[in-house]
Each structure stands twice: as C-alpha cells, then as structure tokens.
Amino acid sequence: MRPHQVTDLPLTPALSVAGQGTHVTLHYDSRRGLHHPKPLLRGWLHLAWFEVSLVAGTLLVLAAHGPRQVVGVGVYVLCLSGLFGVSALYHRGNWGPAATAVLQRADHVMITLSIAGTATLVFLLAVPGTYGLVCLVLVWSLAAVGIGTHLVRMDAPEWLVGSAFVGLGAVPVLGLPALWVNGGVAAAVLVLTGGGLYVTGAVAYHLRRPDPFPTVFGYHEVFHAFVCAAATCHFLAIALLVG
C-alpha cells in the first residue's frame, strides 16, 4: 500500500492498492472520511457530452449572424466544450500526483469559464445597452477572481468553492427580465431551469447523495448528470436566441 494523489474535490490523499494481480486506486472523500474505488462510469457522461458539444457547437457557430453573435457564440462554445473535455480527461484517467494537481485546477477553471461564457452570450444577445455591458464586466471580474483563487489555493473549503460557483452562476439572473422580453418566454424558462439544475447538482454533490450505485454510478455521477442536463437547457435557450 502506498500513497497516491488521485482525488475528488477537494484535493486529498488517495491510496493505490496492489495485490493478487489487481491494482485498484482508491479515492479519498474528506467529507465522509473514507477511501473508495472510482465508480465504473466516472467521467463517461462528460465524455459523451464533449463529443456532442463539438458537433452541436460547430452548427451553432455556423448559424450565428453578425460579429456580435459570432463572437458570443464562439466564446460560449469554446467554454462549453472545454468544460466537458477537461472534465472527461481528468475523471477518466488514473493520473499521478503532478498530473492530478494540474488537471484538477484545469477542471475548476473550466467550470468558472463555462458559467462566464454562457452568461456572456445571454447578455450579448438579450441585454442591450450599458446595463448589459455592466453585467458582462461583473461576470468576467468575478470569473477572474474565482480562477485566480483556484489557481492559488486548491485546498479551499468545499462550501466556499461551491458558493463561489453558485454565486457566479446567479449573475445571469440580472438579465432575466430583458431575456424574457427580448428572447421570449421559452428561452427565459430554459435558462432558469438550467440554473436550477446546476444548483440542485451542486447541493447533491455537497450532501454526497443520492449515491445510488457507489461502485458504478455514485453521487459524483449524479452531479455530472445534473451538469449535463443544465448545459443542455442552456444550449437550447441559446439556440433560440441565435435563431
């Protein structure tokens, strides 16, 4: 038995166990104080959504009209595909300590960028004028602070990290009235639904439940499922705005 850094949020020790021809990496859950094997389906959902995002994102860029839409859609698609791609890479692999530290930081950075990229497109397309510009500055200022914090300190308390993500995700609410008027009821409802799914997923992750099949599809996979569902709602809302 030897120490090996393969982790969930936050960065914590794990064990690599070898014996009788087997080699199992155990992840450490600091909230529950126990080691557990990586569930069989860890990362597969985000890998599938990454592949879908490459195709759907390309089609969305092609459907954009004018510099404003093209720039906004481009930023959004890059952040969305980056989120799922980096997450799939991080969660599917069995990485050593150095690679784990880098990928974990990249994973957290892409969560922040994805939230900011989605909000950017909503503000660009549905919230015109000075108010929309102020909201954009606010979003990217908060994103910059969040990214800097993650790069400097990965051992921040989970409640603080989760609150920062939820807080940044709440900023697009400032644009909901304009989105409702300029983008339509369907787009506004989809944005609200997506936000609700993100928050529900974050709460489920924090509580570590539901944890239906811990060795196959556990609480972390439930969280990923909520992320996929939320991102799909937001993609549909943005498709309506672009169309």
Side-chain angles (χ1 to χ4, degrees), residues 14-29:
L15 299 175
S16 182
V17 181
Q20 297 182 346
T22 63
H23 186 281
V24 179
T25 298
L26 298 179
H27 295 242
Y28 182 70
D29 185 341

Side-chain angles (χ1 to χ4, degrees), residues 18-145:
Q20 297 182 346
T22 63
H23 186 281
V24 179
T25 298
L26 298 179
H27 295 242
Y28 182 70
D29 185 341
S30 59
R31 281 184 55 78
R32 296 184 295 183
L34 54 82
H35 286 86
H36 62 91
K38 181 167 70 175
L40 184 64
L41 296 181
R42 176 66 53 85
W44 281 111
L45 272 177
H46 279 190
L47 178 60
W49 255 251
F50 169 64
E51 294 170 349
V52 170
S53 74
L54 294 177
V55 177
T58 299
L59 294 175
L60 192 63
V61 171
L62 293 175
H65 302 286
R68 191 183 190 90
Q69 281 198 5
V70 171
V71 170
V73 171
V75 170
Y76 164 71
V77 167
L78 285 174
C79 291
L80 181 66
S81 294
L83 167 71
F84 287 123
V86 170
S87 176
L89 181 65
Y90 172 46
H91 289 103
R92 284 303 310 146
N94 290 316
W95 308 103
T100 294
V102 171
L103 287 172
Q104 189 180 43
R105 281 173 168 79
D107 186 45
H108 289 192
V109 166
M110 287 314 307
I111 294 173
T112 303
L113 288 178
S114 178
I115 296 172
T118 302
T120 293
L121 191 49
V122 170
F123 287 132
L124 279 177
L125 300 186
V127 188
T130 303
Y131 182 69
L133 180 60
V134 170
C135 289
L136 280 174
V137 171
L138 176 61
V139 164
W140 284 101
S141 296
L142 291 174
V145 171

Side-chain angles (χ1 to χ4, degrees), residues 145-157:
V145 171
I147 290 171
T149 301
H150 289 313
L151 291 177
V152 171
R153 187 185 177 192
M154 281 302 299
D155 60 346

